Amino acid sequence: MSGAVLRLCGDCAVTVEFENEISIETNRKVIALKYRIEGEHVPGIRELVPSYRSLLIHYDPLKIPYNELERLVEEWTGNAGEIALPKPVITEIPVLYEGEDIGEIARIEKKTVDEIIKIHSQSDYFVYMLGFAPGHPYTARFEHPFSFRRRESPRVRIAGGSVVVQQGLSDIIPFDQPCGWNIIGMTPIKVCDYRKENPFLLRAGQWIRHIPVSRAQYEDIKSQADAGIYVCRTYEKEA
């Protein structure tokens, strides 16, 4: 199946797995397959959920039997690389770099806080997937990774809007929830807002750029976001 493996997930879902690695090349195969399936409009396919290296397909076995879905998946994965993906876009995420762990991060990395802010904010981050909580983006930069991994003792609860980091990864926490990563800052925007028809700000396959803001700017943007009127700047990513 062109390097892909199909695995059953109960009686109404299958997972299409690609290479056993986390990389932008593998993830683009996942996104390409997702776009291919969406373009086919096959009756019985209910939902597509991309991850780092796989695509979960929810389907109705009364409308499309497993054998037929298996045949189609093999066809789709055979030429998924030919699918023209949309041009990548960047969404700017304002960040107040006053996270409670930023001093500890600077100590571990043997840098100043300003240097840590520069490292985190001067790289674009690829959105691999949404998961763990609704709208929760898993993103990564590909240069100057931090040296540390997760914390030894996770916190039972951190605030929604926290921007958390480990190595080259950075996530935005949508709601108050448990987390084992270090908090580098806070964003005033909502990455999941159920007041909107499409509640998720970000999607897999796009990019984000962190924009440092002052406390006053943070409070101003937060008031707009709370009112549902703040719009993040989004534009095409240059090649």
Side-chain angles (χ1 to χ4, degrees):
M1 195 185 293
S2 303
V5 176
L6 191 67
R7 299 190 188 279
L8 289 170
C9 297
D11 58 1
C12 57
V14 296
T15 296
V16 184
E17 296 183 350
F18 292 90
E19 285 83 353
N20 188 22
E21 63 180 17
I22 297 176
S23 71
I24 194 169
E25 292 77 18
T26 296
N27 190 256
R28 280 176 173 156
K29 294 178 182 179
V30 175
I31 300 303
L33 178 59
K34 178 177 180 288
Y35 275 97
R36 172 64 191 271
I37 297 174
E38 288 174 338
E40 294 291 334
H41 303 289
V42 176
I45 292 184
R46 292 172 165 171
E47 186 179 10
L48 304 172
V49 184
S51 72
Y52 282 120
R53 65 179 192 92
S54 65
L55 182 70
L56 180 65
I57 304 173
H58 290 273
Y59 71 101
D60 183 346
L62 298 179
K63 293 183 178 179
I64 178 170
Y66 171 77
N67 289 342
E68 174 63 9
L69 180 61
E70 182 181 38
R71 183 191 68 78
L72 288 172
V73 167
E74 183 153 359
E75 176 186 329
W76 294 329
T77 55
N79 57 15
E82 301 172 8
I83 302 300
L85 295 175
K87 291 184 178 179
V89 299
I90 293 176
T91 296
E92 292 188 350
I93 305 295
V95 178
L96 175 65
Y97 284 96
E98 294 182 3
E100 60 187 274
D101 300 320
I102 194 167
E104 177 68 7
I105 291 170
R107 185 192 66 79
I108 293 171
E109 298 299 305
K110 296 181 173 58
K111 297 185 182 298
T112 66
V113 167
D114 285 343
E115 288 173 326
I116 293 298
I117 294 171
K118 184 176 180 180
I119 290 171
H120 188 261
S121 64
Q122 291 194 351
S123 295
D124 294 337
Y125 287 72
F126 182 73
V127 181
Y128 274 113
M129 64 178 183
L130 306 182
F132 190 80
H136 180 152
Y138 283 74
T139 78
R141 68 179 183 273
F142 302 98
E143 57 278 317
H144 308 301
F146 294 134
S147 62
F148 56 87
R149 294 179 179 267
R150 297 168 57 92
R151 297 169 57 87
E152 289 186 7
S153 300
R155 298 179 176 97
V156 175
R157 179 173 178 159
I158 68 170
S162 296
V163 179
V164 298
V165 293
Q166 65 158 312
Q167 296 188 306
L169 305 178
S170 185
D171 291 6
I172 303 172
I173 306 302
F175 309 105
D176 293 1
Q177 65 188 57
C179 184
W181 295 23
N182 287 285
I183 304 171
I184 196 170
M186 294 286 295
T187 182
I189 65 169
K190 299 180 183 297
V191 292
C192 181
D193 188 345
Y194 285 117
R195 295 172 297 179
K196 299 180 180 180
E197 182 178 355
N198 179 6
F200 299 158
L201 174 66
L202 305 171
R203 67 177 188 272
Q206 73 158 102
W207 297 75
I208 65 174
R209 181 172 294 167
H210 300 97
I211 306 298
V213 296
S214 66
R215 169 62 69 173
Q217 290 172 316
Y218 173 92
E219 295 297 345
D220 179 56
I221 295 171
K222 187 176 187 303
S223 66
Q224 296 181 56
D226 289 345
I229 60 174
Y230 184 77
V231 178
C232 291
R233 184 169 177 245
T234 299
Y235 43 88
E236 287 187 1
K237 181 176 173 61
E238 296 180 0

